Amino acid sequence: MTKQIVIAALTLGAIVLGTNNVHAQNTTATTTVNITLNDVISIDAGSTAIGNTVDFNYVTAADYNSDQTINKANSLKVTSTKNFNVKVKAGGPNFLNGTNLIPVNVLTIKAASASGTMGGTKNTVVLSATDQNLVTNAPLGSALTLNLDYMIPSAKSSSSDILGKPAGTYTQTVTYTATAL
């Protein structure tokens, strides 16, 4: 019986001491959360200017005697943590078909009338092999889109810049560069 009294006393003591320990524990915790930012500027996937082509076809006399415009929706999709500029340039001074040449200045690039979500000042650019501002001081943002019109005016297509050239496909690259301000 003494044994049972000792066990009961120890059990009661453990309960009382255990209850006191519960009251002594912390009831709040504090954690520090850090957010580390880096400046970012990117021409994002989904930009139709990445790996895409713009095809002008001159098949009839009417094609040579009229403006041709090709609209490319979402030509550029830019994410930037700062205001930015977009520049454009050709990979060389001429469209090439073997040794046959058409000067790149036959092509005009400009923001479409429904230009997308990218702000800033939009410029009409007659293409050259030198960087030119297509968009200046565009506000920062995420996945900002720019829809572009590629145009060859009839003044160029009905001139010796294009008329009299051998039939075939003339090719040149166009490079867009987004730069944070």
Side-chain angles (χ1 to χ4, degrees), residues 9 11 17 19 26 45-46 48 53 57 72-74 83-85 93-94 117 124 126 133 137 141 147 152 162 169 177:
T11 302
L17 289 175
T19 304
N26 291 332
T48 59
T53 60
N57 293 302
K72 289 289 187 175
N74 297 318
N83 289 7
F84 61 96
N85 291 338
N94 297 296
T117 60
T124 299
V126 174
N133 285 320
N137 200 26
N147 304 322
I152 298 178
I162 292 179
T169 301
T177 305

Side-chain angles (χ1 to χ4, degrees), residues 130-145:
T130 303
D131 270 328
Q132 298 180 73
N133 285 320
L134 182 63
V135 180
T136 55
N137 200 26
L140 59 89
S142 180
L144 301 170
T145 59

Side-chain angles (χ1 to χ4, degrees), residues 77-171:
K77 190 187 304 184
V78 175
T79 296
S80 181
T81 56
K82 297 191 178 293
N83 289 7
F84 61 96
N85 291 338
V86 176
K87 294 185 178 195
V88 61
K89 72 176 182 176
N94 297 296
F95 289 94
L96 307 170
N97 177 1
T99 59
N100 302 307
L101 311 172
I102 294 175
V104 294
N105 69 1
V106 301
L107 181 64
T108 299
I109 301 173
K110 65 178 185 168
S113 56
S115 62
T117 60
M118 187 181 297
T121 302
K122 290 150 183 105
N123 303 300
T124 299
V125 172
V126 174
L127 190 61
S128 76
T130 303
D131 270 328
Q132 298 180 73
N133 285 320
L134 182 63
V135 180
T136 55
N137 200 26
L140 59 89
S142 180
L144 301 170
T145 59
L146 180 64
N147 304 322
L148 292 176
D149 283 341
Y150 295 81
M151 185 182 83
I152 298 178
S154 62
K156 292 291 187 175
S157 61
S158 64
S159 76
S160 61
D161 286 340
I162 292 179
L163 288 178
K165 304 293 182 181
T169 301
Y170 292 75
T171 304

